[in-house]
Amino acid sequence: MAGLFDTLGIGARSLTTYRKAIDVAGHNLANVNTDGYTRQRLTIEATTTGSDMGQIGSGSEGVSIQRLQNVFIDKQIQVENSVSGSIEVKQDALQQALNALNESLNRNSDSGTSTPGISQGLSDFFNALNSLSTTPLSVPDRTVALQKAVELTTRFNQTDTRIAAVESGINDRLQSDVGKVNTILSDIATLNKKISANESFVDSPANDLRDAREDKINQLASLIKIDTVENQNGASNIIVNGRTLVDGANVTGQLETFDPGNGKPLVRITGDTAALALTGGSIEGAISVRDNELATLRTQINDVASALISSVNQIHSTGFGLDGSTGLNFFTGSNAADIKVNPDLLADPRKLAASGINGTAGDNTVLVRIVQLQNAPVAALNGVTFSDRQAQIIASLGQQLASANQDASDQETIQQYLSAQRDSVSGVSIDEEMTNLVMFQKAFQASAKLISMTDEMLATIIQM
């Protein structure tokens, strides 16, 4: 009798085991399209019981539900998320900067570009002065030349404003990303608390909570380069540049932006005075592209505007207008942001200095000297012309963007490879899960049959 009851126990345990196995397979299938989900598997172990014959098999039981993961691949994905975050923000900023210039190289055009940016404005300005040099007494031609000068200064102003808007957008993104980091840090600490609590009562990982935490960690890694260390209680500590920001269930540090005094916010840990040294993530990428590529671009555009103001004013101030006026600057301002045409000239085009000799209204020597600046090397621009310097700026920015695009393409390839590697271990295969379901169903049916047969045997014995 005892032997048959043991057999009933084997059948009952087997039913429970394979019901759990079917539940796990069903859970996998239900999450086949869930981002960040890690495939799970029921660990089944044989059970034994003691007897006068020694250890005798007593069936099997499901001892734990494990996440199928490759920890090394998951760590690599975390690292590469930081690289991708940095590259993406740089790529986006450089594209916006190129759009801000509103220029693309075209050596077949007179200006060297195919769009109405600063280069076209320079070409139109010098061409208008050249036309005026043939009719220096013409007030209408003077008006046209001054209008072309206004258009040029407007393009300088607009370009500077657009680049400043790109920088402002980066600063806004920086503030937003810091807020996201702090929110995610709190979410991870909360998940750590839940995971530790769950796993302290059940000898099995809190799989779905761990998936949620890993997703949060990957989100965080795309914003800022981090290191993670898992404690014995299952909690993950978050470390940034050697500083622990999440310790178990506690957030021990948060980020904040601050102005170091130049209007370009940086990031630090709340309570610190020094900026946090960042090595990856979108926050690092934003600060890097703003303080390097964009800052250099803005300086270069300002250098062109400053050199133009200085060169043209130096010549124009020595000449004489139709009304005998002299000593007037052609441009006001000092850089791309504030360059303007002298309002005195706009109010009275006769004051535009064309003559190099007082009282000789038909003379055009001053205009000719200004026009010659178009093709003259400018010392302040490393010995190249205004147009060539502008073309160099466009080409350099275009090359930086091309390099960023290539980096983004290469990084996407790496991410796709790592994602495929992860899916090969952690991804849900519908075919595999369906096969497992059939196998578990057959095992469940066989266990039920074992119980049914044992019940018949017990009934036979009772009837004897």
Side-chain angles (χ1 to χ4, degrees):
M1 296 290 288
L4 289 178
F5 282 119
D6 286 343
T7 304
L8 280 176
I10 291 173
R13 279 190 292 274
S14 183
L15 281 176
T16 300
T17 296
Y18 287 105
R19 180 189 59 78
K20 289 180 179 178
I22 290 172
D23 288 345
V24 172
H27 186 56
N28 287 338
L29 287 170
N31 287 280
V32 65
N33 293 315
T34 302
D35 289 338
Y37 178 77
T38 301
R39 182 163 59 103
Q40 299 177 14
R41 181 177 63 193
L42 178 67
T43 301
I44 301 175
E45 292 183 358
T47 59
T48 59
T49 185
S51 71
D52 54 2
M53 298 175 60
Q55 293 293 319
I56 297 177
S58 59
S60 66
E61 64 178 353
V63 295
S64 66
I65 301 173
Q66 300 293 329
R67 297 167 73 227
L68 300 182
Q69 65 174 151
N70 185 320
V71 177
F72 174 76
I73 293 296
D74 289 345
K75 282 285 187 181
Q76 284 299 110
I77 290 175
Q78 176 186 313
V79 170
E80 295 303 330
N81 280 342
S82 294
V83 177
S84 295
S86 178
I87 291 175
E88 287 170 8
V89 70
K90 179 178 290 188
Q91 181 187 29
D92 181 59
L94 291 176
Q95 182 62 65
Q96 290 185 53
L98 190 59
N99 294 340
L101 292 186
N102 194 27
E103 295 192 275
S104 58
L105 292 178
N106 180 2
R107 292 301 184 184
N108 294 322
S109 70
D110 292 338
S111 65
T113 63
S114 59
T115 46
I118 292 173
S119 296
Q120 187 62 54
L122 287 167
S123 179
D124 292 344
F125 169 64
F126 284 115
N127 288 340
L129 290 181
N130 187 50
S131 296
L132 177 60
S133 68
T134 63
T135 56
L137 297 176
S138 172
V139 174
D141 286 350
R142 288 167 174 264
T143 301
V144 170
L146 288 170
Q147 183 57 41
K148 292 300 181 182
V150 169
E151 292 176 5
L152 173 59
T153 59
T154 299
R155 290 176 186 181
F156 272 114
N157 301 156
Q158 290 175 342
T159 298
D160 183 80
T161 298
R162 293 190 192 108
I163 297 175
V166 176
E167 293 181 348
S168 178
I170 288 177
N171 292 337
D172 291 341
R173 175 169 181 163
L174 198 62
Q175 185 69 43
S176 175
D177 283 353
V178 165
K180 291 178 183 178
V181 166
N182 291 334
T183 298
I184 294 174
L185 291 175
S186 296
D187 291 342
I188 292 173
T190 299
L191 287 167
N192 278 341
K193 182 177 181 180
K194 292 180 179 179
I195 290 169
S196 298
N198 275 265
E199 295 182 354
S200 65
F201 291 106
V202 182
D203 187 22
S204 184
N207 295 321
D208 294 322
L209 288 174
R210 283 177 172 267
D211 280 348
R213 184 179 65 188
E214 185 172 331
D215 182 56
K216 291 292 183 181
I217 288 174
N218 283 327
Q219 291 179 35
L220 182 62
S222 69
L223 296 169
I224 187 169
K225 178 75 165 55
I226 61 173
D227 293 305
T228 58
V229 176
E230 185 168 324
N231 299 330
Q232 290 183 347
N233 63 358
S236 277
N237 292 349
I238 304 298
I239 302 168
V240 176
N241 196 31
R243 297 284 298 278
T244 300
L245 300 188
V246 173
D247 186 0
N250 301 311
V251 177
T252 56
Q254 289 193 317
L255 303 186
E256 66 178 10
T257 58
F258 72 101
D259 187 348
N262 57 4
K264 296 183 177 182
L266 297 175
V267 175
R268 65 187 176 192
I269 296 175
T270 302
D272 287 359
T273 56
L276 188 62
L278 303 174
T279 57
S282 62
I283 293 178
E284 178 274 331
I287 293 174
S288 176
V289 73
R290 182 199 66 194
D291 294 348
N292 293 289
E293 287 87 351
L294 291 183
T296 298
L297 174 64
R298 201 170 185 184
T299 298
Q300 290 171 337
I301 297 297
N302 281 332
D303 287 345
V304 173
S306 297
L308 180 69
I309 294 169
S310 176
S311 300
V312 173
N313 285 350
Q314 186 176 3
I315 297 173
H316 186 270
S317 63
T318 65
F320 299 89
L322 288 177
D323 61 354
S325 59
T326 188
L328 294 176
N329 285 330
F330 192 95
F331 293 113
T332 63
S334 60
N335 54 39
D338 60 8
I339 181 175
K340 299 288 183 184
V341 176
N342 190 330
D344 291 339
L345 301 184
L346 296 176
D348 185 359
R350 294 178 304 164
K351 293 184 180 297
L352 194 160
S355 174
I357 306 172
N358 189 18
T360 310
D363 182 63
N364 67 354
T365 54
V366 169
L367 283 177
V368 170
R369 289 175 59 196
I370 295 176
V371 170
Q372 288 174 343
L373 291 174
Q374 182 176 17
N375 300 312
V378 182
L381 301 178
N382 298 322
V384 299
T385 66
F386 293 110
S387 295
D388 285 347
R389 182 56 183 145
Q390 188 65 18
Q392 288 176 355
I393 294 171
I394 301 166
S396 177
L397 181 60
Q399 183 56 49
Q400 289 171 351
L401 177 57
S403 178
N405 288 338
Q406 184 60 55
D407 289 344
S409 178
D410 293 342
Q411 189 62 26
E412 183 178 2
T413 300
I414 294 172
Q415 293 281 63
Q416 289 175 348
Y417 170 77
L418 290 173
S419 179
Q421 289 290 99
R422 182 189 186 278
D423 288 345
S424 68
V425 176
S426 303
V428 176
S429 167
I430 294 179
D431 291 340
E432 182 179 351
E433 296 303 326
M434 290 299 293
T435 300
N436 288 340
L437 277 176
V438 172
M439 181 177 64
F440 298 149
Q441 179 191 21
K442 295 296 184 183
F444 186 90
Q445 290 172 341
S447 300
K449 184 65 175 177
L450 174 63
I451 293 175
S452 176
M453 291 176 60
T454 304
D455 179 60
E456 292 176 3
M457 294 169 66
L458 283 170
T460 299
I461 292 173
I462 292 172
Q463 292 173 3
M464 290 177 65

